[in-house]
Amino acid sequence: MDTVRIDKWLWAARFFKTRSLASDAVETGKVKLDGGRIKPARAVRVGDKLAIDNGSDEWEVRVLGISDKRGGAPVARLLYQETEGSVARRAAEHERRKLFHEPGADLKGRPTKRDRRQLGRFHDE
């Protein structure tokens, strides 16, 4: 196998939890191949340089292996090599998040009934 669809590869390399999330990210321009926008059916080859924004992190990787089957994390890690600049940028971002906790980062969707009660108690005081 020399090539595979980019959405399958992103899913197999564990950048996205589902293939449909990977496909949506490619369509919305969050995945770029050599700096340009692509479509989900675009074939990825060994040596391609990808810029990936999966929502929580931004990666710059070079493709080392091709797979369309999702394996464990150690196997997926062999499919790509992250650039040194990307590693440094993600480490700096991780450090920044550790030092400054975003107030709304823990909120996921609508508040639960318990959350609403706690908000009510806060407003009553």
Side-chain angles (χ1 to χ4, degrees), residues 5 10 25 47 58-59 61 74 79 81 86 95 101 105 111 118 123:
R5 288 175 55 114
L10 290 166
E58 292 181 15
W59 301 72
V61 298
L79 297 178
Q81 177 183 11
S86 177
E95 190 65 28
H101 182 71
Q118 288 177 339
H123 289 299

Side-chain angles (χ1 to χ4, degrees), residues 82-94:
E82 190 174 5
T83 63
E84 291 180 19
S86 177
V87 171
R89 189 172 46 251
R90 286 190 327 107
E93 180 65 20
H94 176 71

Side-chain angles (χ1 to χ4, degrees), residues 48-89:
D48 285 348
K49 185 177 177 186
L50 300 173
I52 305 163
D53 178 5
N54 66 358
S56 60
D57 289 320
E58 292 181 15
W59 301 72
E60 244 182 59
V61 298
R62 185 154 310 272
V63 177
L64 297 179
I66 301 294
S67 177
D68 62 349
K69 301 210 180 342
R70 189 172 172 105
V75 174
R77 184 68 181 100
L78 299 174
L79 297 178
Y80 62 90
Q81 177 183 11
E82 190 174 5
T83 63
E84 291 180 19
S86 177
V87 171
R89 189 172 46 251

Side-chain angles (χ1 to χ4, degrees), residues 55-56 93 96-98 100-109:
S56 60
E93 180 65 20
R96 187 191 66 78
R97 282 189 207 148
K98 195 164 50 170
F100 176 72
H101 182 71
E102 190 70 37
D106 295 333
L107 299 177
K108 304 265 192 271

